[in-house]
Amino acid sequence: QGLLAQASDEQRWAGVAAFYLTRKEIEKGTQVLLDGLRQYPKSFRLRFMLKDVYLAGGDFAKALAVAQECLSLDQEDPAFVAAQRGLAELLYRAGNIEEAEKLVAAVLKKSPND
């Protein structure tokens, strides 16, 4: 709790979560990310980390759900394009090629260099 008490912004929440995750304290790291999302409900960074935790743990459905949440966030944020790319990758891996291609087309339209 001492580390969390010091976490006053999104970056610090991500840092605390990374601290636990790198020490293989997955439950604590996941909880920090979930708590951080309650504090920063529009955070792409915390969602990206949580998606990766779920993928590493083999929970593809939760990772996909977190990636899909990103599409409800600010479309003008530069991280939105990264969220679309990440979701497209997951959809492709799940065999949903048509939806993945739609997302890739949207990414290329918004950011041709991606």
Side-chain angles (χ1 to χ4, degrees):
Q1 286 292 355
L3 291 174
L4 288 176
Q6 297 172 12
S8 61
D9 63 19
E10 176 189 10
Q11 183 174 353
R12 288 185 183 157
W13 281 88
V16 172
F19 171 83
Y20 287 123
L21 295 170
T22 58
R23 284 157 182 75
K24 306 293 186 223
E25 295 183 51
I26 306 305
E27 286 182 32
K28 284 183 181 179
T30 301
Q31 191 59 53
V32 168
L33 291 171
L34 292 170
D35 291 345
L37 283 170
R38 282 190 274 287
Q39 293 286 325
Y40 299 94
K42 296 179 182 181
S43 174
F44 283 100
R45 173 187 293 206
L46 298 177
R47 278 185 178 78
F48 291 163
M49 289 179 72
L50 186 59
K51 173 188 63 101
D52 291 344
V53 168
Y54 287 146
L55 280 176
D59 197 335
F60 187 83
K62 282 186 179 179
L64 185 60
V66 170
Q68 288 171 327
E69 283 178 15
C70 289
L71 296 186
S72 68
L73 302 176
D74 182 5
Q75 293 183 15
E76 299 306 314
D77 189 309
F80 188 80
V81 171
Q84 287 179 305
R85 281 194 320 260
L87 179 56
E89 179 184 334
L90 292 179
L91 290 170
Y92 180 78
R93 287 173 53 183
N96 194 338
I97 307 302
E98 187 175 313
E99 287 299 313
E101 287 177 346
K102 286 179 187 177
L103 280 171
V104 169
V107 166
L108 290 174
K109 183 177 179 181
K110 186 165 185 157
S111 181
N113 293 332
D114 282 318

